[in-house]
Amino acid sequence: MRDVAIIGIGLTRFGERWEHSLRDLMAEAGLSALTDAGINGKDVEALYAGIMASGRFVGQEHIAALLADQLGFDNIPATRVENACASGGTALRQGYIAVASGIHDIVAVGGVEKMTDVTTSEATTALGGAGDQEWELNQGITFPGLYALMARRHMHEYGTTVEQMAAVAVKNHLNATKNKYAQFRKEITIDEVLNSKPVADPLKILDCSPLSDGAAAVILAPLDIARKYTDTPVKILASTQATDTLCLAERGSITGLKATAVAGEKAYKASGLKPGDIDVAEVHDCFTIAEILAMEDLGFFKKGAAAKAISEGETALNARLSVNTSGGLKGCGHPVGATGVKQAVEITMQLRGEAEGRQVSGAEIGMTHNVGGSGATAVVHILERTN
Amino acid sequence: MEKASAGMWRKIDSRYNLVGSMCERCGTKYFPQRAICRNCGKDTKMLHRKMSGRGTVYSHSEIRVPAEAFKESAPYTVGIIELEEGPKVEGHIIDNGKKVEIGTKVKTAFRKMYTDGEEGLIHYHFKFIPE
Ligand SMILES: [Zn+2]
């Protein structure tokens, strides 16, 4: 296995991008990544693209070949990767495997979703497919409903409060104000979250990540030739993935995601690092409760201790550990297929020292954590600055 | 939800009669029915077992923004129910005026779930009712 580095990154602004189609968005992010790496489409040997539900959202399948053509790649193998909201992170891992194995040198990884062309109830139905269609969605349990069930149980077992959950949204919106790519560049207050429209009790609309359009891309290369392309390659120290039952009710516990814990443990083992070594993390805050679960499952806090720590500012920008500096899914937006790749773009910016007003000082090691559905898939990457 | 119609006619035993599975080899009980035991893999010896339908609320939520098929029923309460046989299952909790909390005892009731498409095909399913 060879060491792998990220040599180029590209991102679109997230949000309602009405005037831009799915292929426009991918072209915008892809072109930025190619330009950043100083290569052309003809240099790319393979593409892995994370897209969750383009068939439901825009009626287009067979997306990877379409994107490879639109990006000017040269009849290369192109593969769509679908793992619900973890499609992007999984695509990154497939790209990593392709380069690490020696099969390809220069690989493009993309993630994209165009979600705002359909109504909210159509989108709710499409996202419901991330859970168990037969035993959850068909029972009227929406995707926010699944996280609401986890939140209620976490409140019951650990005394977590709606105010502490709201603090996650407040922190991530504040970070998003410093990110020009973010969907919401507006601060919110605890009271605004608590008084926002109920979606699935105890979760309100401001506990939920939004429907978004957007795309992200990274270019991968073997570390030993990465400096041909960039002075600031970012090394991938670990790329891990785990699964769990699709149906929430079939899990022993719902106050944590076992897939996250397993992928996290594997990532620490592969990198020889521990939670305390991480300077900056992008974690999967599709709902405020999800960031609390992630902080505990990834070992940053003891079970039941994260909500209080977050609300006391321990994961604010440049605090003990900076979490979701991009604004996370909550503040930056959540075009589902793009999210896992965007997390890697944000951490790369942080490790290169290019994160502008939201830069974590002296960031050396970063983590990304991408979840599919209510936790049936989790993907973790640990990235390291090399310059 | 029309696309899911065919699926609603499968596993009728699970949907209508709350029939789950039990691995004869290791004793693990499952709901819904499945073919392969998580513990025993290829050595699974699965039997079908009707659940009593009694259980307690493990978690619950009031759904205010529903998926398309449930637009007319919202708001409604859903929950995870821990059946007395052990497995947990998700479903609707019927509002009979009783307060729903973690630990509330419930039993199954057979009810209309939703009306499908223009033809108005009605789907039935078990729901839970507080005791
Ligand atoms: Zn067994």
Side-chain angles (χ1 to χ4, degrees), chain B residues 10-20 31 33 48:
Chain B
R10 295 183 199 113
K11 306 285 178 201
I12 287 285
D13 248 9
S14 287
R15 286 180 209 291
Y16 288 9
N17 298 323
L18 213 68
V19 173
F31 189 89
Q33 294 174 44
H48 300 311

Side-chain angles (χ1 to χ4, degrees), chain A residues 20-347:
Chain A
H20 295 285
S21 67
L22 185 146
R23 65 185 80 183
D24 293 340
L25 293 166
M26 198 64 249
E28 184 185 331
L31 187 60
S32 304
L34 292 171
T35 306
D36 186 49
I39 61 171
N40 211 328
K42 311 290 175 208
D43 301 317
V44 174
E45 295 171 27
L47 167 70
Y48 293 90
I51 299 117
M52 176 186 166
S54 55
R56 307 275 315 225
F57 288 124
V58 296
Q60 179 70 61
E61 310 293 8
H62 208 169
I63 280 284
L66 173 66
L67 297 180
D69 170 51
Q70 294 289 312
L71 290 161
F73 298 166
D74 207 8
N75 302 101
I76 60 164
T79 306
R80 170 179 172 171
V81 177
E82 190 274 304
N83 263 345
C85 328
S87 299
T90 311
L92 176 57
R93 185 160 185 275
Q94 293 306 306
Y96 167 84
I97 291 167
V99 176
S101 67
I103 289 177
H104 296 297
D105 282 341
I106 306 295
V107 167
V109 174
V112 63
E113 212 77 54
K114 174 80 189 169
M115 301 170 73
T116 67
D117 280 356
V118 297
T119 65
T120 300
S121 74
E122 287 169 332
T124 300
T125 306
L127 292 171
D132 188 319
Q133 163 83 15
E134 284 194 42
W135 297 100
E136 292 178 329
L137 188 61
N138 281 358
Q139 315 288 322
I141 303 180
T142 58
F143 194 55
L146 294 172
Y147 277 89
L149 292 167
M150 289 190 249
R152 172 85 64 207
R153 190 72 201 182
H154 202 276
M155 292 165 79
H156 176 76
E157 289 186 22
Y158 299 108
T160 303
T161 65
V162 289
E163 289 81 6
Q164 288 169 337
M165 290 194 275
V168 173
V170 170
K171 168 182 74 72
N172 291 350
H173 269 253
L174 179 61
N175 288 345
T177 63
K178 301 171 178 128
N179 181 2
K180 65 183 179 191
Y181 297 100
Q183 183 162 359
F184 298 122
R185 304 192 61 193
K186 177 177 165 290
E187 280 188 58
I188 56 171
T189 65
I190 300 273
D191 279 344
E192 282 172 327
V193 180
L194 297 181
N195 294 320
S196 64
K197 191 180 131 197
V199 172
D201 174 50
L203 302 179
K204 292 101 186 162
I205 189 81
L206 288 178
D207 285 296
C208 307
S209 56
L211 300 173
S212 318
D213 305 330
V218 302
I219 309 292
L220 304 178
L223 182 64
D224 60 9
I225 61 165
R227 280 184 194 279
K228 261 173 59 185
Y229 302 97
T230 175
D231 295 332
T232 55
V234 165
K235 182 180 173 185
I236 300 179
L237 288 178
S239 174
T240 60
Q241 182 178 342
T243 50
D244 199 354
T245 68
L246 217 60
C247 188
L248 197 57
E250 292 198 61
R251 298 182 196 160
S253 164
I254 62 165
T255 53
L257 302 185
K258 191 173 180 187
T260 295
V262 170
E265 272 167 34
K266 285 183 180 174
Y268 291 128
K269 189 157 180 256
S271 60
L273 297 172
K274 51 191 189 306
D277 297 319
I278 309 292
D279 300 311
V280 55
E282 287 282 299
V283 304
H284 198 93
D285 61 322
C286 48
F287 301 92
T288 50
I289 184 65
E291 181 163 325
I292 292 167
L293 303 183
M295 288 291 97
E296 295 171 352
D297 295 336
L298 292 166
F300 295 118
F301 297 100
K302 282 205 314 259
K303 201 74 219 157
K308 181 164 178 283
I310 294 168
S311 67
E312 287 173 355
E314 287 192 42
T315 59
L317 185 61
N318 279 311
R320 177 181 146 192
L321 163 71
S322 301
V323 177
N324 283 333
T325 54
S326 71
L329 285 57
K330 178 71 203 80
C332 188
H334 183 28
V336 281
T339 285
V341 183
K342 179 224 82 178
Q343 294 177 324
V345 169
E346 172 68 13
I347 295 297

Side-chain angles (χ1 to χ4, degrees), chain B residues 27-64:
Chain B
T28 307
K29 291 171 184 155
Y30 296 97
F31 189 89
Q33 294 174 44
R34 57 187 284 145
I36 298 172
C37 173
R38 290 199 188 96
N39 302 322
C40 303
K42 74 167 177 53
D43 300 324
T44 300
K45 287 205 168 59
M46 214 58 109
L47 301 174
H48 300 311
R49 273 283 185 280
K50 184 168 162 42
M51 304 285 167
S52 69
R54 290 181 190 280
T56 53
V57 174
Y58 185 78
S59 192
H60 59 94
S61 173
E62 188 183 53
I63 304 292
R64 302 291 284 269

